[in-house]
């Protein structure tokens, strides 16, 4: 029985794809969110509310990030998430 057809070998494609994914992960992980203090978070969330990107849900005491549909009970969590989410979109080329 003959061996596998060398024309059907996709391992190089897979390795290239894997390297690209790892590079994107490294780039997204490099986003600095540690500098989000309470004041910065409050300002960012206020700006997002004004831009209609965040909805306040008082009865549930949560903030909903409209573009992603994710809910948060902390302005700092939302601010850090939004920064990472924005960086991820920019890395994917969607933020252009």
């Amino acid at each position: 029985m003959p061996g596998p057809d060398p024309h059907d070998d996709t391992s190089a494609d897979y390795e290239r794809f894997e390297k690209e994914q790892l590079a994107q992960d490294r780039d997204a992980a490099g986003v600095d969110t540690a500098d989000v203090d309470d004041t910065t978070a409050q300002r960012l969330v206020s700006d997002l509310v004004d831009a209609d990107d965040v909805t306040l849900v008082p009865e549930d005491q949560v903030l909903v990030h409209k573009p992603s549909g994710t809910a948060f009970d902390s302005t700092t969590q939302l601010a850090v998430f939004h920064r990472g989410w924005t960086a991820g979109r920019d890395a994917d080329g969607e933020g252009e």
Side-chain angles (χ1 to χ4, degrees):
M1 180 180 234
D5 184 353
H7 298 291
D8 289 336
D9 184 13
T10 60
S11 61
D13 295 337
Y14 176 77
E15 289 174 13
R16 186 177 67 249
F17 174 76
E18 182 91 8
K19 287 177 184 177
E20 289 172 4
Q21 291 301 105
L22 288 171
Q24 287 179 7
D25 290 346
R26 271 194 306 272
D27 291 344
V31 174
D32 188 15
T33 57
D35 63 340
V36 179
D37 58 16
D38 289 336
T39 305
T40 303
Q42 290 286 342
R43 187 173 48 251
L44 177 60
V45 170
S46 177
D47 291 346
L48 291 171
V49 169
D50 292 343
D52 202 31
D53 287 333
V54 169
T55 301
L56 303 170
V57 185
E59 59 272 3
D60 295 334
Q61 296 182 345
V62 295
L63 303 158
V64 178
H65 185 252
K66 285 184 179 181
S68 69
T70 308
F72 297 91
D73 60 1
S74 161
T75 56
T76 303
Q77 289 174 344
L78 174 58
V80 170
F81 173 83
H82 182 74
R83 281 190 172 183
W85 180 81
T86 302
R89 283 182 44 113
D90 291 346
D92 289 341
E94 295 178 23
E96 297 175 351

